[in-house]
Amino acid sequence: MSRADEFVDLRPLLFSIAYRILGSVSEAEDAVQDAWLRYEATPAVPASPKAFLSAVVTRISIDVLRSARVRREEYVGPWFPEPLLADPYQDPERSAELADSMSMAALLLLERLSPLERAVFVLREVFGFGFPEIASAVERSEPACRQLAVRARRHMDAGRPRFEAGRRKREELAGRFLDAFRDGDVDGLTGLLAADVQMVGDGGGKAPQWADRFIGAENVARVLAALARPFARIEAEVEPHQVNGQPGAIFRDRDGRILTTWILDILDGRIQTIRTVINPDKLGHLGPVADAWEALREAGQARRPRPHPG
């Protein structure tokens, strides 16, 4: 098998490692491409292409994450990872674990770890790498990597997100929620939301937003019902879709351009969190992006609605 063929076979794994470390589709793709260039330029063929490429993409991702953290501290409003519609790395026996590990909630929890802790956790807990391989990848001793893994696991266990166990139940509830949203049904929406539900948006200062965050079932339901009207005026399409392994939706304008993505955290038969990504810089990898400001003007939303305080 040629180097190019080996790389193609390993690319889904490499991207999935890089995305979980970086939380960015574009940066993960760049890290994978850089790993290929280094692999191609290596004179001797590595004994294990998987170990070599995984180590290289991990080191690149750690370096990128260190510089990215400074930019994220200056980010306008809440920062969310770039939404991912499908994980290219498939392992049927661990599909549920892999889906949960790339959820928005899990990726945001990983943001609390140092770059080294995050890389060690991803390699060990998500992809099952042995400590000798991890030590080589992050260029630390095995005992140091074990300590990093313990600290990372402790932080993650303390805040680990919980989700509804059955995928079908989650999808059914998400479908009812989206139907109620289309109808602007405040009572129907309220009945599907947890009492302390939060609706949080990532616009990065580059898209129209009413607020960064709304809290409480009645408040969020009224905001959603108010949103339904302008979406209907511009003939926006609500497309149910798994986003980051969780139920969600893609919103498109009448020309099929993406306006926003929504991701729903569901537990105990209620929606706990609604995360919206409307920053156009984070949507381009999904397809053509709509001008949200233009859509707002077309919808005639000159005044900001006033939902009840949360």
Side-chain angles (χ1 to χ4, degrees):
M1 183 181 291
S2 69
R3 287 197 187 195
D5 290 337
E6 289 171 336
F7 177 77
V8 168
D9 286 347
L10 290 167
R11 187 181 187 109
L13 171 64
L14 302 177
F15 174 85
S16 295
I17 291 172
Y19 177 74
R20 285 167 173 80
I21 294 175
L22 292 167
S24 165
V25 173
S26 54
E27 289 174 348
E29 289 175 342
D30 288 345
V32 171
Q33 183 60 27
D34 197 357
W36 159 248
L37 295 175
R38 297 188 192 186
Y39 182 48
E40 188 182 34
T42 302
V45 178
S48 169
K50 176 184 175 182
F52 177 87
L53 283 164
S54 298
V56 170
V57 84
T58 297
R59 290 182 207 130
I60 293 169
S61 298
I62 290 171
D63 289 342
V64 173
L65 182 59
R66 284 173 174 150
S67 62
R69 289 194 138 194
V70 176
R71 298 193 302 274
R72 291 175 191 177
E73 289 173 0
E74 300 171 350
Y75 194 80
V76 178
W79 179 92
F80 290 161
E82 292 179 10
L84 187 65
L85 301 187
D87 187 357
Y89 179 70
Q90 301 296 323
D91 182 346
E93 293 183 1
R94 299 182 59 248
S95 60
E97 296 172 68
L98 289 169
D100 286 352
S101 72
M102 75 167 191
S103 71
M104 284 280 179
L107 292 173
L108 288 170
L109 194 55
L110 283 169
E111 285 289 307
R112 302 180 187 180
L113 306 182
S114 71
L116 274 177
E117 287 172 341
R118 183 165 181 165
V120 169
F121 183 87
V122 167
L123 291 176
R124 179 65 180 172
E125 300 296 328
V126 180
F127 295 101
F129 280 68
F131 281 108
E133 295 171 293
I134 296 171
S136 173
V138 302
E139 299 177 308
R140 295 292 189 275
S141 68
E142 285 187 44
C145 288
R146 291 181 186 276
Q147 287 300 313
L148 287 165
V150 168
R151 288 204 302 269
R153 193 180 304 116
R154 186 182 303 125
H155 284 301
M156 294 298 289
D157 286 345
R160 189 181 296 276
R162 294 170 57 229
F163 302 110
E164 194 78 51
R167 177 170 176 172
R168 178 173 292 181
K169 286 181 65 177
R170 285 184 293 174
E171 290 180 348
E172 288 176 353
L173 192 147
R176 286 158 49 207
F177 167 78
L178 293 174
D179 286 342
F181 167 74
R182 292 185 190 95
D183 294 340
D185 180 357
V186 174
D187 291 338
L189 288 165
T190 304
L192 297 171
L193 301 173
D196 58 350
V197 65
Q198 295 192 39
M199 182 174 179
V200 192
D202 175 349
K206 299 185 177 183
Q209 284 184 273
W210 291 346
D212 289 339
R213 185 184 306 264
F214 296 98
I215 301 173
E218 290 188 10
N219 194 36
V220 170
R222 291 180 184 281
V223 170
L224 290 168
L227 274 174
R229 290 190 289 273
F231 271 112
R233 287 192 195 105
I234 63 171
E235 301 175 29
E237 177 188 355
V238 184
E239 177 186 317
H241 207 294
Q242 289 274 313
V243 184
N244 284 78
Q246 304 300 318
I250 302 171
F251 289 71
R252 302 179 186 274
D253 68 7
R254 64 170 63 89
D255 297 317
R257 297 172 299 183
I258 297 170
L259 287 160
T260 181
T261 61
W262 288 10
I263 305 97
L264 310 177
D265 290 352
I266 297 173
L267 181 66
D268 298 330
R270 293 289 186 274
I271 294 169
Q272 309 289 324
T273 309
I274 304 166
R275 293 186 176 89
T276 71
V277 179
I278 197 170
N279 182 345
D281 294 346
K282 294 188 175 185
L283 300 173
H285 62 283
L286 303 178
V289 179
D291 183 336
W293 293 105
E294 180 184 343
L296 187 69
R297 287 191 295 271
E298 182 183 345
Q301 293 296 290
R303 293 187 301 172
R304 177 183 299 182
R306 297 180 180 177
H308 293 275

